[in-house]
Amino acid sequence: GSTVANTPNSFLCTEQDYGDFIFELDLKVDDAMNSGVQFRSLSKPDYQDGRVHGYQMEVDPTDRAWSGGIYDEARRDWLYIPNINPEGKKAFKRNGQWNKYRIEAIGNVIRTWVNDVPVANLVDDVTAKGFIALQVHAIYANMTEGMEIRWRNIRIQTENLKPRPTDNTPVINLT
C-alpha cells in the first residue's frame, strides 16, 4: 500500500466478517508512516456515511512506539496504549525491517503481539464480529506521498482456537 496525497485512510478489506479468530501477518513500513490492521470492523451507511470503524492494531514506527496498541477507529479513540507495557513498546523493529503481528480475538478478550512479544490485553464487548482490513493511512504531519507498507504471510484461523498462555501483560477491562 502506498500513501496518496489528498485521500482519506484507505482499506483492503475481507469480504467475510470474522468473530473469534487468530490472525497473523508480517509487515514492514516506512519509518515516517502510520498504519494499522482493522479487525471486527464495520462500514454501514448509517454510520458517518459508511466510514470504516472498529478495532485496529496499531502500526507505529515512530519514537512514540505504540505499535501493537488497540485503537477504536472512528469511534472511541485509544483503548489500549502500550505505555503500560514497556516490553511491548520495544517489540517493533524499525528501519524497514519485517515485523510479525498477531491478534487473538476470542470472545470479549483481544490480545496482540508484535514479533512474539505480548503488547495488549483488552477485554471489550462493543463489537463481536466484523471484517478485517489492512490500512494505508492518510497523509499527515511529516508523511509524504509514495510511502509504503507491505504485508505478507497473511493467515487466519477460525476453528480449534488455542490462545497463547496467559502472561503478565497488563489487562484493560472495558466491559
Side-chain angles (χ1 to χ4, degrees), residues 14-29:
T14 60
E15 293 179 2
Q16 180 178 335
D17 285 347
Y18 295 92
D20 291 353
F21 61 85
I22 297 172
F23 180 83
E24 294 182 328
L25 61 69
D26 299 330
L27 63 84
K28 69 177 179 175
V29 63

Side-chain angles (χ1 to χ4, degrees), residues 25-91:
L25 61 69
D26 299 330
L27 63 84
K28 69 177 179 175
V29 63
D30 284 342
D31 281 347
M33 187 177 173
N34 178 285
S35 191
V37 178
Q38 292 290 137
F39 60 98
R40 290 185 177 173
S41 291
L42 307 166
S43 174
K44 298 182 176 187
D46 62 341
Y47 187 86
Q48 296 184 18
D49 295 322
R51 184 173 177 191
V52 170
H53 58 284
Y55 301 111
Q56 178 188 120
M57 182 179 179
E58 180 73 0
V59 177
D60 178 13
T62 69
D63 290 339
R64 182 177 72 168
W66 286 1
S67 288
I70 301 173
Y71 183 73
D72 195 356
E73 176 83 16
R75 232 174 12 187
R76 296 178 290 165
D77 207 350
W78 284 100
L79 305 178
Y80 196 109
I81 296 173
N83 290 348
I84 63 174
N85 180 0
E87 290 305 309
K89 279 191 71 156
K90 297 185 237 174

Side-chain angles (χ1 to χ4, degrees), residues 1 11-12 28 37 46 52-53 59 67 71 75-76 80 84 95 99 104-105 117 121 123 134 138 140 161 166-167 171:
F11 302 92
L12 178 61
K28 69 177 179 175
V37 178
D46 62 341
V52 170
H53 58 284
V59 177
S67 288
Y71 183 73
R75 232 174 12 187
R76 296 178 290 165
Y80 196 109
I84 63 174
N95 301 314
N99 289 275
E104 288 182 1
V117 176
N121 189 341
V123 181
L134 308 177
Y140 67 94
L161 301 176
T166 305
D167 50 46
V171 176

Side-chain angles (χ1 to χ4, degrees), residues 94-121:
R94 296 169 64 169
N95 301 314
Q97 296 183 69
W98 286 100
N99 289 275
K100 180 179 179 182
Y101 268 47
R102 178 183 175 98
I103 302 166
E104 288 182 1
I106 302 171
N108 62 1
V109 177
I110 299 167
R111 298 167 66 202
T112 67
W113 287 260
V114 174
N115 298 316
D116 292 319
V117 176
V119 177
N121 189 341

